């Protein structure tokens, strides 16, 4: 296969983007052969637009779907998904495809876009939280949408309560709690924007499980050591995974916070790390030597040289920042290699907290490291500090007969 994009014959409204598209793909880590193959797909799309009499500015999600249908009808063996093509085209800001595709197409989509903007710009929530809340809002609105449209003015507390009960019966306690929190948020938004005639957030009752019954389960020091030992330090992937596991287990960062770390967040001169967390908070944490050494081993030992400023990168093109789910997957794979029960990234956050308590840190100090704004959130770790709890136990009264 050719490695030269100039040998790809392309005409039509997208022809002017071909060379820039190839350059952007190679910047993102695509091998030349793969980048040329994607330029060929762009050429096919451009020919299709020309045949349909469409300009590049008329490229929408529906048009992409029509193009892929035509490609399938022509007998092409490789027909990607609409979302995959949209992701590729988003690498070209000059094409303005993303803005076209983002346009809402129905009443529910309009509400969801407004809600997403509210969460991002007014509440300042992290992108992963916004995605979760919008997903719950989409599910809720889908239950209210009717063939004639979406009318929220008549929504009442009874309908909200019935929805909550039905959802809680289908979910575990953790998922139900997330749903309840997100639903209260979207109902506050709907009331604020005048979609509902009166506030309904109070109609969302909490799941039946006691709020204080949660017992954080951290991994033992032996298991954490096994996870770190399972990483092959002779490979780039092993050094990256070891650095991520070290950050998780020593600093108690969330998966999204690890994925969001950028090169500028490390203040090597002062031995500090800047963490961007919930509610757009930016906190400075001391950088332990073992964390610094693990990160440096990855940065100097094979991290790709790309324009992306994220610390931890994917190993396959496009070489972009990792997602929170990527970070959790690294923990899962390490558990598999170490032959220990599968755990999620958040278990290492609990491990960091319990390790600090075992080392003599107070609950207030643990809360500072975990960047928890409410003392009650950190107080739950007192349940697992059994050594400290023993001092509170009273002797069993003697029975005199």
């Amino acid at each position: 296969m050719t490695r030269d994009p100039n040998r790809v014959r392309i005409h039509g409204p997208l022809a002017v983007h071909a060379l820039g598209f190839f350059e952007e793909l190679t910047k993102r880590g695509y091998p030349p052969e793969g980048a040329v193959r994607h330029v060929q797909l762009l050429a096919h799309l451009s020919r299709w637009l020309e045949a349909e009499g469409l300009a590049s500015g008329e490229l929408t999600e529906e048009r992409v779907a029509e193009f892929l249908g035509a490609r399938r009808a022509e007998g092409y063996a490789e027909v990607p998904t609409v979302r995959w093509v949209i992701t590729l085209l988003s690498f070209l800001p000059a094409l303005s495809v993303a803005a076209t595709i983002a346009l809402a197409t129905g009443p529910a989509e309009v509400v969801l876009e407004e809600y997403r903007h509210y969460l991002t710009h007014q509440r300042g929530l992290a992108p992963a939280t916004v995605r979760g809340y919008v997903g719950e809002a989409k599910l809720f609105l889908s239950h209210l949408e009717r063939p004639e449209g979406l009318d929220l003015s008549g929504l009442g507390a009874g309908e909200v309560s019935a929805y909550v009960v039905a959802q809680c019966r289908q979910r575990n306690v953790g998922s139900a709690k997330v749903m309840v929190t997100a639903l209260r948020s979207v109902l506050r938004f709907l009331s604020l924007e005048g979609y509902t005639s009166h506030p309904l957030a109070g109609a969302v009752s909490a799941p039946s499980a006691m709020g204080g019954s949660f017992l954080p389960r951290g991994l033992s020091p032996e298991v954490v050591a096994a996870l770190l030992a399972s990483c092959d330090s002779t490979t780039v992937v092993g050094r990256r995974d070891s650095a991520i596991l070290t950050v998780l287990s020593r600093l108690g960062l969330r998966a999204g916070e690890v994925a969001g770390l950028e090169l500028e967040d490390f203040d090597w001169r002062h031995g500090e790390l800047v963490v961007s967390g919930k509610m757009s908070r930016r906190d400075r944490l001391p950088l332990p030597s073992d964390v610094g050494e693990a990160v440096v081993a990855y940065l100097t030992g094979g991290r790709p040289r790309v324009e992306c400023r994220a610390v931890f990168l994917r190993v396959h093109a496009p070489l972009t920042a990792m997602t929170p789910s990527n970070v959790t997957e690294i923990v899962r794979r390490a558990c598999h290699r170490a032959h220990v029960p599968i755990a999620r990234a958040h278990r290492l956050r609990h491990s960091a907290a319990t390790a600090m308590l075992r080392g003599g840190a107070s609950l207030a100090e643990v809360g500072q490291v975990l960047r928890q704004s409410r003392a009650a959130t950190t107080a739950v770790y007192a349940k697992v500090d059994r050594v400290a709890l023993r001092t509170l136990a009273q002797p069993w009264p003697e029975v005199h007969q």
Side-chain angles (χ1 to χ4, degrees):
M1 171 181 256
T2 178
R3 299 162 59 98
D4 184 2
N6 294 311
R7 298 188 65 179
V8 178
R9 297 176 59 186
I10 179 170
H11 55 82
L14 303 182
V16 295
H17 299 289
L19 187 58
F21 188 48
F22 176 82
E23 292 175 349
E24 185 62 28
L25 289 171
T26 54
K27 284 180 183 178
R28 292 173 180 265
Y30 283 88
E33 294 87 349
V36 168
R37 188 168 66 252
H38 296 329
V39 172
Q40 291 172 334
L41 178 65
L42 185 76
H44 189 189
L45 175 59
S46 186
R47 292 196 302 272
W48 181 84
L49 288 172
E50 186 179 42
E52 295 291 321
L54 299 171
S56 61
E58 298 175 89
L59 189 57
T60 64
E61 185 171 0
E62 291 73 23
R63 295 299 188 190
V64 172
E66 291 175 17
F67 160 68
L68 294 177
R71 183 178 174 90
R72 189 177 296 105
E74 292 177 23
Y76 280 85
E78 182 182 352
V79 179
T81 65
V82 173
R83 184 54 52 189
W84 186 83
V85 173
I86 289 172
T87 300
L88 273 182
L89 296 177
S90 69
F91 296 161
L92 276 177
L95 196 53
S96 301
V97 177
T100 304
I101 291 168
L103 293 176
T105 57
E109 286 79 5
V110 171
V111 175
L112 290 172
E113 284 301 318
E114 292 179 359
Y115 181 51
R116 182 181 287 107
H117 185 274
Y118 162 78
L119 294 175
T120 303
H121 299 286
Q122 295 190 41
R123 293 291 313 283
L125 300 184
T129 305
V130 172
R131 286 194 298 271
Y133 278 28
V134 171
E136 291 290 351
K138 184 176 183 179
L139 180 63
F140 175 61
L141 293 178
S142 70
H143 283 74
L144 303 176
E145 208 165 9
R146 301 291 181 265
E148 60 273 15
L150 179 68
D151 182 12
L152 298 173
S153 60
L155 183 63
E159 196 169 1
V160 172
S161 297
Y163 174 82
V164 172
V165 171
Q167 288 294 310
C168 287
R169 286 173 177 169
Q170 301 172 21
R171 305 179 183 221
N172 59 34
V173 173
S175 176
K177 287 183 177 180
V178 171
M179 179 272 298
V180 163
T181 303
L183 187 56
R184 285 172 178 162
S185 170
V186 72
L187 288 171
R188 282 193 291 268
F189 163 77
L190 294 175
S191 174
L192 183 67
E193 295 298 318
Y195 282 105
T196 56
S197 56
H198 48 275
L200 293 171
V204 182
S205 56
S208 58
M210 295 296 293
S213 62
F214 166 66
L215 187 65
R217 293 188 302 141
L219 302 175
S220 69
E222 294 76 20
V223 170
V224 173
L227 297 182
L228 293 169
S230 73
C231 300
D232 185 357
S233 61
T234 65
T235 66
V236 176
V237 174
R239 287 189 285 271
R240 182 201 64 186
D241 292 358
S242 178
I244 287 175
L245 292 170
T246 303
V247 170
L248 287 168
S249 61
R250 291 284 282 118
L251 296 178
L253 267 61
R254 303 174 180 90
E257 293 167 347
V258 174
L261 287 175
E262 297 189 348
L263 297 173
E264 293 77 14
D265 293 333
F266 285 83
D267 185 346
W268 300 105
R269 182 179 298 275
H270 298 97
E272 293 180 334
L273 172 64
V274 178
V275 179
S276 299
K278 293 183 176 181
M279 300 296 292
S280 299
R281 286 182 51 178
R282 289 180 62 82
D283 299 291
R284 299 185 75 90
L285 297 179
L287 184 62
S289 58
D290 55 345
V291 175
E293 290 168 0
V295 173
V296 167
Y298 167 60
L299 294 179
T300 60
R303 178 189 179 276
R305 295 180 177 274
V306 293
E307 292 184 359
C308 180
R309 303 302 293 171
V311 174
F312 300 112
L313 303 176
R314 292 157 39 97
V315 293
H316 301 295
L319 301 184
T320 55
M322 305 193 76
T323 64
S325 60
N326 292 151
V327 173
T328 293
E329 177 62 15
I330 285 174
V331 178
R332 190 195 68 78
R333 288 201 301 262
C335 291
H336 181 74
R337 291 193 304 268
H339 305 290
V340 299
I342 300 299
R344 297 175 62 85
H346 216 71
R347 289 284 296 278
L348 288 172
R349 180 172 170 85
H350 297 325
S351 301
T354 52
M356 284 185 276
L357 286 173
R358 282 194 299 267
S362 66
L363 286 174
E365 291 169 333
V366 172
Q368 288 177 347
V369 174
L370 298 185
R371 289 152 289 110
Q372 293 172 331
S373 56
R374 297 175 62 247
T377 305
T378 311
V380 71
Y381 289 104
K383 299 177 182 179
V384 296
D385 189 10
R386 295 179 176 85
V387 175
L389 288 175
R390 286 194 192 104
T391 62
L392 303 177
Q394 298 297 315
W396 190 261
E398 294 183 4
V399 178
H400 299 283
Q401 297 182 352

